[in-house]
Amino acid sequence: MAPAAAPAPGAGARLASVTVDAADPPALARWWARALDWRPGYADDQEVDVDPPEGEAGVPLVFVPVREPKRGPNRVHLDLDTSSPADQRQTVEFLLDSGARRADVGQGQVPWVVLADPEGNEFCVLDPRPEYEGCGRVAAIVVQALRPQELAQFWAPLAGWRQTRWGPSVAALRDGRRGPYLEFVRTTTPHSVKNRWHLDVRPTSPPPGQDRVVREARAAGARPVDVGQHPRVSWVVLADPEGNEFCVLSGRGG
């Protein structure tokens, strides 16, 4: 994987990746690599990574195999940046020609375009916005939240990112002035099924750093969750206070 964002001072963890459940990880990884103009990363039978371009701040995507079909809209998705109305139109056309389709998640008349990838995962192609200049292709990793401010406060030390925008409808974190935002956007729909896209964090200190991160996350409101993981895996699966699953990886890259 490409190096993840540097942690904020005093953070015990950093955002390492966004993991995507996929029926066909290699195919979906190739699609997203082309969609984002990113590069192939590590790959084996259990995961296929897609990394940001060299020199661009970003969070790698990790595609893993699952048998379960997608059920309902995802609570975690990507917002893609565009530089002009023409760029937005051309990006949408390119993605549709590449196998995306238009998606209706109840957005109504909005300036952004909602699409779904070949496995049905929703994402947005944004209208040009000054606040996303310099983010790279991915403007934001978006997490739907019943209480955006509270969930952002929970995630700030786990991501190692600083609070940048704060409001009742959207709360955002960012790694300084580089790369995408991690945005928590207001919804009225609670978590009900396992997320097909989830966040992974990695401790920033050597063992027992993972234990410390898990302990602090649980003290902040996380809980252990069973998503069918093997008991001997090196990561720990938790759910945040709104039920969103996430993994605390080991400090050694596994």
Side-chain angles (χ1 to χ4, degrees):
M1 296 181 187
R14 58 183 171 87
L15 184 58
S17 54
V18 177
T19 292
V20 181
D21 291 352
D24 187 342
L28 196 59
R30 286 194 297 271
W31 190 88
W32 274 100
R34 187 177 181 215
L36 299 175
D37 195 20
W38 283 16
R39 56 197 173 97
Y42 175 83
D44 63 21
D45 292 340
Q46 296 304 310
E47 71 172 83
V48 181
D49 298 356
V50 175
D51 296 335
E54 204 65 56
E56 180 178 309
V59 180
L61 302 180
V62 176
F63 298 83
V64 299
V66 297
R67 296 180 180 178
E68 298 81 7
K70 183 177 184 291
R71 293 188 291 162
N74 292 337
R75 296 185 71 80
V76 180
H77 71 265
L78 301 184
D79 281 354
L80 308 191
D81 185 33
T82 61
S83 59
S84 67
D87 182 33
Q88 184 186 30
R89 290 193 299 272
Q90 292 166 4
T91 298
V92 170
E93 291 173 3
F94 168 75
L95 294 168
L96 291 172
D97 289 344
S98 299
R101 60 175 175 80
R102 294 184 183 272
D104 185 352
V105 293
Q107 67 268 24
Q109 295 296 315
V110 293
W112 60 89
V113 179
V114 183
L115 301 178
D117 72 17
E119 292 200 7
N121 299 296
E122 304 86 2
F123 63 98
C124 298
V125 181
L126 299 179
D127 49 299
R129 304 182 191 183
E131 63 264 36
Y132 295 124
E133 289 182 5
C135 285
R137 193 52 158 169
V138 178
I141 302 161
V142 179
V143 181
Q144 294 184 344
L146 300 175
R147 296 171 295 277
Q149 294 182 10
E150 293 178 24
L151 204 58
Q153 287 178 325
F154 170 86
W155 273 98
L158 283 172
W161 290 12
R162 301 178 186 277
Q163 301 171 5
T164 60
R165 279 180 275 139
W166 209 247
S169 297
V170 181
L173 310 175
R174 197 182 189 195
D175 177 31
R177 298 182 179 180
R178 303 176 65 245
Y181 290 86
L182 178 58
E183 295 182 344
F184 300 87
V185 177
R186 175 92 168 109
T187 183
T188 58
T189 304
H191 175 279
S192 60
V193 298
K194 177 181 176 288
N195 291 348
R196 288 184 76 82
W197 289 53
H198 71 259
L199 307 180
D200 292 333
V201 302
R202 192 184 302 283
T204 56
S205 58
Q210 185 184 45
D211 292 339
R212 175 191 168 197
V213 172
V214 169
R215 185 171 59 252
E216 292 183 356
R218 293 191 63 178
R223 59 179 175 81
V225 64
D226 184 355
V227 294
Q229 69 270 24
H230 192 280
R232 295 181 182 175
V233 295
S234 61
W235 56 88
V236 178
V237 185
L238 301 175
D240 71 19
E242 293 197 5
N244 299 298
E245 302 86 1
F246 68 97
C247 294
V248 180
L249 306 178
S250 70
R252 62 179 182 276

